[in-house]
Amino acid sequence: PQIPLRRVLLDVKRFVAKRHSEVVFLFVHKADLWSSEGSIAPLEEDDQHHDRIPGQTVHEAVSSVLGDFLATYPKLSEAVPDVAHEQPENPTVQELVSAGARVLYFWEGQQVLCTSIAECRETPGWQKQAGVPLAFGPPMAPGERQQIENTERGRRIVEPMCLARSSGGTESTSPMETVGRLQTFEQDPLATFRAHRPSCFPEAAAAPALRAPTVLHEADAFLKRTKHL
């Protein structure tokens, strides 16, 4: 059975409300549809609308429930103050908890730093580009956005994190083969990253070192519906 998004979000809210020192990662993607049972038409409209950002329909739903906990640009800026001379893209759990930024939300692999066109227009570094289905615009290498963006407003630019999933190199119809590929991935996540570069990271940029922003590597294993199932 299909589970409403709001029910999932309310479960997440209850979790973070009870566990005050925990940080949650929320990864959301468009569904792969193999029948007429559902539709992603509203999301496709978001991608094309000049007064909306890609995924805004979902961002608004997420913000309506988890807005107080979302690690958006204002809270990340608060979590790592400029005087600390640290990277706001790489805060510690303690810094996130202290700033109330306890839900790090990703859409189509890219971290969401603003949830509406109005918010994004006030967020340093945001760009909207036709054909790019990412909420913060085209992906850039760490530091590149800072170099080309006008920062007269005096605020730092935060480059959104990018989720690099293992599934590009570990997916298989054989459970045992998947486990073996996951073990290989664990030994060298960057090899999978280079072979299956996610759309949220620029093609020509060098891969960041492990544990360095802006790439977050994820070992994943899950059941996936196909046209034949």
Side-chain angles (χ1 to χ4, degrees):
Q2 297 181 354
I3 300 176
L5 175 61
R6 182 174 176 81
R7 174 180 167 184
V8 175
L9 297 175
L10 287 171
D11 286 343
V12 174
K13 183 176 183 178
R14 280 190 285 268
F15 177 86
V16 294
K18 290 182 179 179
R19 294 165 174 80
H20 304 288
S21 60
E22 301 283 353
V23 171
V24 173
F25 287 81
L26 182 64
F27 303 128
V28 185
H29 298 265
K30 292 176 185 174
D32 293 325
L33 299 177
W34 303 116
S35 70
S36 59
E37 294 179 0
S39 171
I40 58 171
L43 305 180
E44 294 172 337
E45 291 173 5
D46 283 345
D47 289 348
Q48 304 300 324
H49 204 293
H50 69 280
D51 277 336
R52 296 180 70 80
I53 58 173
Q56 184 165 325
T57 298
V58 179
H59 308 332
E60 290 171 345
V62 172
S63 183
S64 70
V65 177
L66 297 172
D68 292 341
F69 301 104
L70 284 183
T72 50
Y73 175 83
K75 286 197 174 182
L76 285 176
S77 299
E78 178 185 344
V80 186
D82 197 16
V83 294
H85 301 293
E86 297 178 1
Q87 293 173 301
E89 296 90 352
N90 198 24
T92 65
V93 171
Q94 182 178 355
E95 288 169 336
L96 291 171
V97 169
S98 296
R102 296 176 49 219
V103 177
L104 289 91
Y105 165 45
F106 291 68
W107 171 254
E108 294 292 317
Q110 186 187 67
Q111 185 182 13
V112 176
L113 299 179
C114 45
T115 59
S116 69
I117 191 75
E119 284 184 14
C120 288
R121 284 172 174 161
E122 296 299 318
T123 302
W126 172 78
Q127 296 182 9
K128 184 173 177 63
Q129 181 173 317
V132 177
L134 301 173
F136 210 66
M140 296 186 186
E144 181 181 359
R145 200 180 301 268
Q146 186 77 44
Q147 295 174 5
I148 67 173
E149 185 73 14
N150 182 350
T151 56
E152 291 180 353
R153 285 174 287 184
R155 294 185 293 170
R156 287 181 300 171
I157 288 177
V158 178
E159 185 66 32
M161 287 191 290
C162 171
L163 176 65
R165 303 170 64 184
S166 71
S167 52
T170 57
E171 183 176 354
S172 173
T173 56
S174 166
M176 293 305 297
E177 188 170 320
T178 296
V179 171
R181 291 180 179 181
L182 284 169
Q183 292 173 335
T184 300
F185 169 82
E186 181 184 14
Q187 295 169 4
D188 189 5
L190 287 176
T192 299
F193 175 84
R194 295 187 186 100
H196 306 276
R197 186 173 292 243
S199 62
C200 52
F201 198 82
E203 285 285 343
L210 293 178
R211 302 181 182 86
T214 54
V215 175
L216 177 68
H217 298 274
E218 178 194 51
D220 51 7
F222 52 88
L223 296 175
K224 182 178 180 180
R225 186 177 180 181
T226 69
K227 293 181 179 179
H228 307 293
L229 295 177

